[in-house]
Amino acid sequence: MSTEKHLFAEERRHRILALVEAQGRVRIAELQAALKVSEPTIRKDLSLLEQARKLKRTHGGAIAVRPQVEPTIDDRSSLHAEAKELIAKACLQEISSGDSLFLDSGTTVQRIADLLDQPHVNVVTNALGVAGALADRAAVRHTLLGGSVRTLGGTLVGPVALETLKRFTVNTAFISASGLSESGISVADVADAQVKQAVLERARRVVVPLDSSKFGVDDFVTVCPLDRIDMIITEAAGDDIRALCQSHGIRLKVVGTQHAA
């Protein structure tokens, strides 16, 4: 019996460490929900992991002690898949026939492209996966930016992409992020951040679809402050996120509820 408990505890701590290293920061409540254990158990696990110098405890959670390693797009697509599906479907409700859109490289945005069927929509993208998903949709016109291929993210970036973007203006840009905090939205790569920043200058409305695991996370590069965002679509939001959105004039759409702030 004790051996089984020990093995379970080791497995649980391995999962905690994996979450911290993938996201950079986690909250105790998030770990409780993911692992289905009590708060005292999580606190004990965090203490043991900190003693082993594998993470650093903070008020209400923990942060990574090593630099974050950006996961591949395939690895990211399997994380929080159900939430991403719900968020993508909610994003489709924000698209009308005749719209012009920018779809970037995030896995949730990829699901938007997979599901997009509104006729007479113009899409600009720097994501190879988005372009592939739209290639056989006669009713959806799309333009793939040129540029340097960034294999890890499946994107086109660099001077050519930035220069080409100046030719377009879109009604709505769906911008992915790996972190959202009071500082704004952030991502892991400078080149990707530069493309997103250029898109913000060409978009009339900016929508950020992201699952709640990204809340409270500051990744390597800040893309923009919260004041530049018009709407956030997510599957769950606590009072802190609702208050943050309200204070910055962001419309918050929470999937599965009737509430939008």
Side-chain angles (χ1 to χ4, degrees):
M1 181 69 71
S2 61
T3 301
E4 292 176 355
K5 288 183 178 178
H6 176 72
L7 290 174
F8 176 76
E10 288 299 318
E11 180 183 0
R12 186 177 64 243
R13 288 166 198 152
H14 177 77
R15 290 185 62 190
I16 289 172
L17 188 60
L19 284 169
V20 172
E21 291 182 341
Q23 298 177 195
R25 175 187 300 175
V26 294
R27 293 167 291 176
I28 288 175
E30 180 183 348
L31 293 172
Q32 281 184 259
L35 300 173
K36 311 299 183 187
V37 294
S38 67
E39 180 177 336
T41 297
I42 293 295
R43 290 187 181 277
K44 180 180 178 181
D45 287 340
L46 293 179
S47 294
L48 291 170
L49 288 168
E50 184 177 47
Q51 290 172 20
R53 298 183 179 181
K54 294 182 177 180
L55 54 73
K56 182 178 180 180
R57 292 190 63 184
T58 62
H59 178 70
I63 59 174
V65 295
R66 293 197 296 250
Q68 288 175 246
V69 177
E70 183 183 4
T72 66
I73 194 165
D74 289 338
D75 289 340
R76 284 185 281 130
S77 65
S78 63
L79 294 172
H80 312 289
E82 183 177 355
K84 291 175 181 179
E85 185 77 9
L86 292 172
I87 294 166
K89 289 178 178 178
C91 289
L92 294 179
Q93 299 172 9
E94 301 297 319
I95 301 171
S96 302
S97 177
D99 260 347
S100 57
L101 313 171
F102 185 88
L103 299 179
D104 75 358
S105 58
T107 52
T108 303
V109 177
Q110 177 66 51
R111 287 302 297 150
I112 298 173
D114 293 339
L115 300 170
L116 183 62
D117 60 358
Q118 282 88 335
H120 311 300
V121 171
N122 276 306
V123 175
V124 181
T125 185
N126 72 322
L128 299 172
V130 169
L134 300 177
D136 296 327
R137 313 245 179 101
V140 179
R141 290 177 287 179
H142 71 284
T143 300
L144 177 63
L145 298 178
S148 302
V149 177
R150 182 173 179 267
T151 306
L152 185 60
T155 55
L156 293 164
V157 298
V160 173
L162 297 175
E163 184 63 30
T164 308
L165 269 171
K166 296 178 182 179
R167 303 180 183 181
F168 299 94
T169 299
V170 296
N171 291 334
T172 303
F174 290 92
I175 300 294
S176 62
S178 49
L180 182 146
S181 70
E182 293 183 359
S183 301
I185 59 172
S186 55
V187 294
D189 182 74
V190 173
D192 269 341
Q194 289 173 336
V195 172
K196 293 174 193 288
Q197 289 161 350
V199 171
L200 296 177
E201 297 178 3
R202 312 302 302 168
R204 299 186 177 99
R205 182 174 68 142
V206 176
V207 177
V208 179
L210 78 172
D211 65 83
S212 58
S213 71
K214 312 298 194 310
F215 295 153
V217 175
D218 289 304
D219 212 333
F220 183 58
V221 189
T222 299
V223 174
C224 70
L226 294 178
D227 292 339
R228 185 60 187 88
I229 299 169
D230 297 293
M231 186 176 191
I232 290 172
I233 302 180
T234 187
E235 92 289 359
D239 291 341
D240 54 342
I241 294 299
R242 294 182 186 275
L244 197 62
C245 289
Q246 186 173 11
S247 65
H248 288 275
I250 299 171
R251 184 184 173 205
L252 176 64
K253 185 173 185 179
V254 182
V255 177
T257 75
Q258 299 300 314
H259 180 84

